[in-house]
Amino acid sequence: MSKVLVIGCGGVASVAISKCCQVSDVFTELCIASRTKTKCDALAAKLAPTTRTKITTAQVDADDVQQLCDLINSYKPDLVMNIALPYQDLTIMDACLACGVNYMDTANYEPENTDDLAWRAIYEKRCKEAGFSAYFDYSWQWAYKKKFEDAGLTALLGCGFDPGVTQAYCAYAAKHEFDSIDTIDILDCNGGDHGYAFATNFNPEINLREVSAPGSYMENGKWVEIPPMSIKREYNFDQVGQKDMYLLHHEEIESLGKNLPDVKRIRFFMTFGQSYLDHMRCLEDVGMLSTTPINYNGQEIVPIQFLKALLPDPASLGPRTKGKTNIGCIFTGKKDGKDKTYYIYNVCDHQECYREVGSQAISYTTGVPAMCGALMMLTGEWTKPGVYTVEEFNPDPFLDALDKYGLPRSENHDPVLVD
Ligand code: NDP
């Protein structure tokens, strides 16, 4: 019996909301609030005949703490699910603290304007001290830990698939499969084909910024940074086949490095096709990935936002995308004094996702874990005051929920390793 406020009504939020509506005994009341209320109304109208969950909608600008507080105080939710953009993480956390409500999200904070001088000064200091240069990192949200502890509230960070399920896989491996883990390789493979020469599977701004940044991995507790896309491997993925994959910086490496400090190396690889990479390099070379506004015919334009307007809406890829995703973690380490390897992963079919909730697998594999994370918080499995990432909670009930609600795990105790 709980009331949940969901902020955002894009690709990921639509799946999370659809899945919440399949668990009406827990998600008894849901308010969908976003910048564009018509999208919330359309989703509410679609879901209402299929669910016992009582759905309402609201308009909110989540950059504005006062607007958020007014909405939270009038709706009085037990939990706020932030499934808007990483730009809104801090304002929504501030509002949750002010109103005494638990918080969760699917991606860590990054600023919308990376030219902001105050932000840049802190960022540049962090680059030097920590040794990685991604625009996003956990420091901003970890800084809220004491405030959430003092308020007796829980904040769950990054509960999508990666970050999210990948860390639950790590916690599961540490709990059940190993006495000590030496290496973790997180492999994110999208074997889907949408038929366009170039499109991104989720928010283009967030996606392109992530992919065009330098890669990095953690070795013996230190970051090693490499030029973008400079480490390439091939891997034969179960139910997808042979794919090229590239080492990327990814946010869960940072929290895993902190919470599993004995692991000697943590890397993240994502698959990309040649056409995607060629387009991205070209767009970057001509300045279309820039976040710095330019003046065009008297109007201020942010190049990457203009590009977003030209590209297909990720939500529209659902009916066109065929194939499967395969995301998981390969571990090496020791059990009972013997060397051991282990691979835990999920395979998800784009077309099956579309048939069930009207979205492709990228939104599905993020939205289902968001619902399952909320389920953990609302049913008392994951509640401790403070700010936490997924690997800091018991993975067992979460992985059981994922098995049940659409993202079942597969295991391999003798996987091919990545060199
Ligand atoms: P979309 O762009 O599809 O949706 C974003 C939603 O947020 C839209 O409804 C948008 O409203 C709303 N929004 C944006 N700004 C504001 C604001 N100021 N106030 C209120 N609402 C706002 O993004 P996705 O669904 O693809 O991604 C959602 C989140 O999931 C992102 O944080 C992304 O990084 C994360 N993600 C996490 C993954 C993981 O595995 N952990 C994988 C993929 C994504 P409007 O309709 O008006 O634009």
Side-chain angles (χ1 to χ4, degrees), residues 323-334:
K324 291 177 180 170
T325 61
N326 177 328
I327 319 175
C329 304
I330 300 177
F331 303 89
T332 66
K334 290 207 162 43

Side-chain angles (χ1 to χ4, degrees), residues 7-14 33-37 39 59-64 82-89 106-108 158-164 201-204 206 250-251 308 313-315 362-363 365-366:
I7 299 182
C9 191
V12 176
S14 300
S34 191
R35 187 167 52 186
T36 313
K37 186 169 174 291
K39 287 190 194 169
Q59 199 278 331
V60 74
D61 176 0
D63 292 320
D64 184 331
N82 167 16
I83 321 183
L85 296 177
Y87 311 145
Q88 282 85 42
D89 287 2
T106 59
N108 69 10
C159 195
F161 206 105
D162 46 342
N201 291 302
F202 67 99
N203 186 289
I206 309 289
H250 221 247
E251 65 191 67
K308 181 183 173 194
D313 178 356
I362 307 299
S363 302
T365 53
T366 312

